[in-house]
């Protein structure tokens, strides 16, 4: 073996104070000789020095494997260890977590040089910027969706008309305008109109049950709900279940007064939008972002991606995801175009790439993991579109397309992606993760890295000084964004409520929950999460919310949610329950109460939840394999050649052994994203054209 099989780090302490033998005419001393070959990755040898039989200091030597550590890294470890020992010797009561490990030069580099993100351009009013561009280029296309093109002049006219309608209906600073619509022009108009009316934007998930969306309206105290034509019925149901007066507005309704516009630009700390994410307490938490944070984020995207009036940015993220904000608005700040794609196109890599090429889009953000099913060995690899591509999800190396891996690291300007722009889900729990990264690279597929586009530092859990060589929780300065959780039991605060963690530098920070480390050039390398927050089909969820909802069901004594790798490498949510509840009925109850991405693909009944020796849930011991809730071979066998082909495709996409001709796709663990994958596979296998010929994903 190339390494010791039991451990790789050793600490040896020699405090024997033994005397050397006396030899007449000779003065003897100890000579430290290097071994030449490291037995372990790290060996720290400490020996007490003596003078006249008394302790007189320590001699410390660090031996390291040169193929594991750089010399500068090893020397840095030794230097900081010595700094720690001297500080504790000077003050034995000092808390180790508070001892400064960096010297003045290192601290200046981490907090200063690596955070020189100031830019000459500033932005106070997004709507005013778009309005000025509409005056300069009224016929330029601002938004393209399934309905066609919308020019800048048409866009700003729609925004002003809706803003007036919102003001007439009671929109005011700090109030929310909820938007229930699919990707397209309406969310763009709704967001800008809410800002123009001095209100805040709140997107709702069109797939979520009405009762859940009603809870969000109640928590956010939102009086207005703008609904697309196809969601009017759902909007009425949401308003009725909200338990408070909610006015449902429809696009195209005319205002009764002349267009009204804010007299002045919004204040920097005025609320701009709120995004609800999964909450660890069992209830969704709304993360609020003010105008300063939103504007800074948008400008960072414009700079990092080098956006100009010739660019077209693809808007393919769910509207309840923070990425959707910059995808919709950042191109409109420079006279570019937003290309909004429908859910079927966004979930199908082949169709998405075709649309990118056809529309000559120049910027696309897509998670490699979401495209993995189309890049399996033995299948045709869809060509990467000729555009600037970025992504924000880690992915196993086997799921990275060869075309992207071969592309190598992106250019410096394009690789810089804001790692700290997402608002926290709650100051008292784990905030939402950052978006660390750039295009996934073949060399380090699970640890994508990027330089922060906003001032950032790393702190330990105790708030100690930043360090470039350890795993820490990432924090950010107030220049990036601040947020605060809102819920029925937690009213919206006007200022950040979490304590300062700047170590005396001034300014407030929030914890993102990400584990990162600084690379030698100042980039942040993403190492994972410090909590149980995961991503399911591009949506952030807290496993605690799923578990809390399961425990509310009759017959459930305890529940644990885990994530495993499902069909095509996509993450799969699995529930483990203790009690006499029927697993199939539990899944159906969860589907009625939660959005699709929060519903477990399978529910396993257990006698007890396995525990570790210290009494915590032993997630590694949970049974994560097995068939979905419904038996895979319960239906009749296929009879025709076409049924045989379709059953084979169903089984392959779902990752099950066998599927009957009458089995339910969703009862077998399918979901909307896999349904789109299935449609694509069927279309390809049957030789159908890309128009789908009537086939659409549910």
């Amino acid at each position: 073996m190339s390494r010791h099989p039991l451990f790789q780090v050793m600490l040896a302490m020699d405090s024997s104070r033994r005397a050397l033998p006396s030899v007449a005419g000779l003065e003897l001393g100890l000579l430290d000789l290097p071994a030449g070959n490291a037995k372990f990755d790290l060996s720290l040898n400490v020996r007490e020095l003596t003078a006249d039989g008394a302790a007189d200091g320590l001699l410390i030597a660090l031996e390291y494997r040169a193929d594991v550590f750089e010399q500068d890294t090893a020397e840095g470890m030794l230097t900081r260890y010595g700094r720690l020992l001297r500080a504790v010797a000077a003050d034995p009561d000092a808390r180790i977590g508070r001892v400064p490990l960096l010297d003045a030069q290192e601290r200046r580099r981490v907090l200063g040089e690596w955070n020189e993100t100031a830019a000459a351009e500033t932005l106070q009013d997004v709507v005013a910027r778009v309005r000025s561009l509409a005056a300069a280029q009224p016929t330029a296309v601002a938004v393209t969706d399934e309905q066609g093109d919308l020019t800048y002049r048409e866009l700003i006219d729609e925004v002003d008309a809706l803003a007036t309608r919102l003001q007439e209906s009671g929109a005011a600073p700090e109030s929310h305008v909820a938007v229930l619509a699919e990707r397209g022009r309406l969310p763009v108009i709704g967001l800008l109109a809410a800002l123009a009316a001095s209100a805040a934007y709140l997107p709702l998930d069109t797939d979520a049950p009405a009762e859940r969306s009603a809870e969000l309206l109640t928590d956010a105290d939102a009086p207005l709900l703008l609904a697309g034509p196809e969601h009017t019925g759902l909007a009425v149901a949401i308003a009725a279940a909200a338990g408070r007066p909610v006015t449902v507005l429809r696009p195209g309704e005319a205002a009764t007064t002349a267009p009204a516009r804010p007299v002045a630009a919004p204040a920097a700390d005025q609320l701009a939008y709120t995004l609800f994410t999964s909450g660890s307490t069992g209830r969704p938490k709304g993360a609020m972002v003010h105008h300063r944070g939103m504007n800074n984020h948008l400008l960072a995207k414009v700079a990092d991606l080098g956006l100009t009036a010739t660019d077209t940015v693809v808007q393919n993220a769910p509207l309840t995801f923070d990425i959707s904000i910059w995808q919709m608005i950042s191109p409109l700040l420079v006279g570019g175009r937003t290309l909004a794609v429908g859910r079927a196109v966004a979930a199908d890599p082949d169709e998405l790439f075709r649309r990118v090429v056809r529309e000559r889009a120049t910027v696309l953000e897509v998670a490699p993991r979401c495209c993995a099913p189309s890049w399996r060995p033995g299948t045709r690899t869809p060509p990467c579109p000729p555009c600037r591509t970025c992504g924000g999800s880690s992915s196993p190396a086997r799921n990275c397309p060869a075309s992207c891996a071969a592309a190598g690291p992106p250019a410096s300007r394009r690789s810089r992606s804001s790692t700290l722009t997402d608002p926290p889900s709650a100051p008292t729990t784990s905030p939402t993760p950052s978006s660390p990264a750039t295009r996934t690279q073949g060399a380090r597929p699970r640890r994508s890295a990027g330089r922060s586009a906003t001032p950032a530092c790393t702190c330990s859990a105790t708030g100690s000084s930043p360090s470039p060589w350890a795993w820490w929780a990432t924090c950010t300065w107030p220049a990036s964004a601040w947020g605060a959780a809102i819920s029925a039991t937690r009213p919206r605060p006007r200022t950040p409520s979490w304590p300062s963690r700047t170590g005396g530098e001034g300014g407030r920070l929030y914890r993102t929950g990400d584990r990162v480390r600084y690379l030698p050039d100042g980039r942040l390398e993403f190492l994972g999460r410090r909590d149980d927050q995961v991503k399911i089909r591009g949506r952030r969820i807290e496993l605690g919310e799923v578990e809390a909802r399961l425990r509310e069901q009759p017959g459930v004594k305890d529940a644990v949610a885990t994530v495993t790798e499902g069909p095509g490498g996509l993450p799969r949510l699995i529930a483990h329950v203790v009690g006499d509840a029927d697993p199939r009925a539990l899944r159906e109850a969860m589907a009625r109460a939660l959005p699709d991405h929060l519903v477990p693909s399978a529910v396993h009944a257990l006698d007890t939840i396995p525990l570790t020796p210290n009494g915590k849930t032993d997630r590694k011991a949970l049974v994560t394999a097995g068939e979905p809730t419904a038996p895979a071979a319960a239906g009749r066998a296929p009879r025709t050649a076409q049924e045989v082909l379709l059953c084979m495709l169903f089984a392959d996409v779902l990752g099950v052994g066998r599927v009957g001709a009458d089995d339910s796709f969703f009862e077998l663990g399918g979901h909307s994203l896999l349904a789109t994958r299935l449609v694509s596979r069927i279309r390809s296998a049957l030789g159908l054209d890309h128009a789908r010929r009537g086939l659409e994903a549910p």
Side-chain angles (χ1 to χ4, degrees):
M1 298 179 65
S2 63
R3 59 183 177 84
H4 195 284
L6 299 181
F7 57 88
Q8 286 77 49
V9 179
M10 183 179 73
L11 168 64
M13 177 71 182
D14 182 4
S15 57
S16 61
R17 301 183 187 178
R18 59 184 180 273
L20 295 175
S22 176
V23 179
L26 295 177
E27 182 179 345
L28 302 182
L30 292 177
L31 179 63
D32 291 297
L33 296 176
N37 294 310
K39 300 180 180 66
F40 309 99
D41 289 355
L42 288 173
S43 298
L44 188 65
N45 301 293
V46 183
R47 187 174 80 243
E48 283 193 2
L49 299 178
T50 59
D52 299 329
D56 190 34
L58 299 175
L59 176 63
I60 304 174
L62 179 65
E63 183 181 79
Y64 66 94
R65 285 185 58 181
D67 57 347
V68 176
F69 294 98
E70 299 283 352
Q71 180 175 346
D72 290 344
T73 303
E75 291 178 351
M77 290 182 184
L78 196 58
T79 299
R80 294 180 183 104
Y81 183 52
R83 190 173 295 135
L84 170 67
L85 294 182
R86 284 190 291 270
V88 174
D91 182 8
D93 295 327
R95 295 178 61 88
I96 293 179
R98 295 292 181 179
V99 173
L101 298 179
L102 305 184
D103 60 23
Q105 182 179 358
E106 291 172 326
R107 190 175 187 85
R108 183 167 55 253
R109 182 173 68 251
V110 172
L111 299 181
E113 296 174 8
W114 288 352
N115 285 288
E116 292 177 354
T117 59
E121 184 180 10
T122 59
L123 177 64
Q124 287 186 301
D125 191 338
V126 167
V127 179
R129 172 73 69 90
V130 178
R131 184 174 287 116
S132 66
L133 288 169
Q137 50 179 47
T139 60
V141 177
V143 180
T144 298
D145 61 4
E146 303 297 334
Q147 302 179 45
D149 294 336
L150 187 71
T151 67
Y152 271 83
R153 182 72 269 163
E154 293 169 338
L155 172 63
I156 207 64
D157 287 345
E158 294 272 5
V159 168
D160 286 338
L162 180 56
T164 302
R165 184 78 177 92
L166 295 177
Q167 289 180 330
E168 289 180 346
S169 302
E174 304 301 315
S175 68
H176 284 94
V177 176
V179 176
L180 183 70
E182 300 292 343
R183 281 185 296 269
R185 63 187 62 191
L186 183 55
V188 180
I189 295 171
L191 170 55
L192 293 176
L195 300 181
S198 296
Y201 166 74
L202 171 62
L204 297 180
D205 188 349
T206 57
D207 290 331
E211 292 75 13
R212 180 181 176 87
S213 295
E215 290 179 1
L216 307 188
L217 289 186
T218 302
D219 290 352
D221 196 23
L224 303 176
L225 173 56
L226 175 65
E230 68 276 22
H231 299 298
T232 301
L234 177 59
V236 172
I238 293 173
R244 65 179 311 282
V246 176
T247 301
V248 177
L249 303 176
R250 299 167 182 82
E253 294 179 334
T256 59
T257 62
R261 298 173 182 170
V263 177
D269 62 349
Q270 182 175 319
L271 187 63
Y273 64 86
T274 296
L275 299 176
F276 274 91
T277 62
S278 180
S280 58
T281 62
R283 289 183 61 88
K285 296 295 178 65
M288 304 185 298
V289 178
H290 55 31
H291 278 264
R292 179 192 292 112
M294 177 185 68
N295 295 345
N296 185 75
H297 186 190
L298 293 175
L299 287 180
K301 286 299 181 182
V302 169
D304 292 345
L305 296 171
L307 297 182
T308 67
T310 63
D311 280 308
T312 294
V313 177
V314 180
Q315 204 275 296
N316 59 319
L319 295 177
T320 54
F321 197 19
D322 61 324
I323 293 175
S324 66
I325 301 295
W326 77 259
Q327 287 182 342
M328 288 191 294
I329 304 302
S330 61
L332 303 181
L333 300 180
V334 295
R337 179 174 65 132
T338 298
L339 173 62
V341 299
R343 66 169 65 192
V345 174
D348 185 343
D350 293 296
E351 184 61 27
L352 177 62
F353 287 177
R354 278 193 290 266
R355 182 70 58 87
V356 167
V357 173
R358 186 166 63 250
E359 294 288 346
R360 297 183 178 180
T362 57
V363 176
L364 169 67
E365 175 159 358
V366 61
R369 184 182 292 272
C370 293
C371 296
S374 293
W375 288 325
R376 291 171 301 189
T379 62
R380 180 180 59 84
T381 300
C384 281
C387 65
R388 304 198 293 278
T389 308
C390 54
S393 293
S394 60
S395 179
R398 62 183 180 276
N399 288 343
C400 297
S403 51
C404 282
S412 175
R413 174 174 60 83
R414 296 177 186 172
S415 68
R416 290 188 57 199
S417 176
S418 177
T419 61
L420 303 164
T421 54
D422 296 346
S425 58
T428 56
T429 59
S430 297
T432 59
S434 63
S435 301
T438 59
R439 185 164 37 184
T440 300
Q441 302 171 23
R444 310 188 78 140
R446 294 193 62 84
R447 293 186 178 182
S448 50
R451 185 182 297 275
S452 172
T454 54
C457 74
T458 58
C459 296
S460 69
T462 61
S464 63
S465 59
S467 174
W469 56 271
W471 295 6
W472 304 93
T474 306
C475 302
T476 181
W477 302 107
S480 63
W482 65 262
I486 56 175
S487 66
T489 58
R490 189 182 186 87
R492 287 191 288 116
R494 288 294 299 118
T495 58
S497 57
W498 47 89
S500 172
R501 292 184 177 272
T502 61
E505 297 297 326
R508 292 181 181 270
L509 307 176
Y510 70 79
R511 294 168 294 176
T512 68
D514 289 337
R515 288 191 307 142
V516 301
R517 69 166 182 167
Y518 275 118
L519 298 180
D521 60 358
R523 289 181 300 150
L524 293 175
E525 184 177 28
F526 179 68
L527 301 174
R529 294 286 300 171
R530 298 178 61 247
D531 52 24
D532 294 329
Q533 190 180 90
V534 296
K535 270 190 179 181
I536 299 293
R537 301 193 291 281
R539 309 289 186 93
R540 297 191 184 107
I541 69 170
E542 293 280 357
L543 295 179
E545 179 173 4
V546 180
E547 295 168 353
R549 293 290 181 138
L550 283 169
R551 294 187 185 107
E552 293 174 356
Q553 305 303 318
V556 176
K557 297 179 180 179
D558 200 0
V560 175
T562 59
V563 175
T564 63
E565 186 173 300
L570 294 175
R572 187 166 180 253
L573 183 62
I574 306 295
H576 311 266
V577 297
V578 175
D580 55 6
D582 178 58
R584 183 169 181 174
L586 282 178
R587 189 179 185 279
E588 293 174 350
M590 296 288 282
R592 291 191 297 269
L594 297 173
D596 181 58
H597 61 280
L598 285 171
V599 178
S601 297
V603 178
H604 298 299
L606 302 177
D607 294 331
T608 59
I609 298 296
L611 302 177
T612 63
N614 58 4
K616 295 183 179 180
T617 300
D618 189 352
R619 295 182 179 272
K620 293 182 179 180
L622 288 170
V623 179
T624 56
E627 293 296 316
T629 304
R636 67 173 176 84
R639 299 167 183 167
T640 67
Q642 191 175 63
E643 284 187 349
V644 171
L645 175 62
L646 293 177
C647 287
M648 290 175 58
L649 293 176
F650 269 60
D652 187 35
V653 170
L654 291 170
V656 297
R658 181 167 172 258
V659 173
D662 297 326
D663 288 343
S664 167
F665 175 80
F666 293 99
E667 288 184 359
L668 292 176
H671 47 73
S672 57
L673 183 58
L674 284 181
T676 305
R677 303 275 195 248
L678 178 62
V679 169
S680 178
R681 296 286 302 280
I682 293 174
R683 196 171 67 244
S684 176
L686 298 182
L688 302 179
D689 58 38
H690 65 275
R692 285 180 170 75
R693 296 189 180 183
L695 285 173
E696 289 292 343

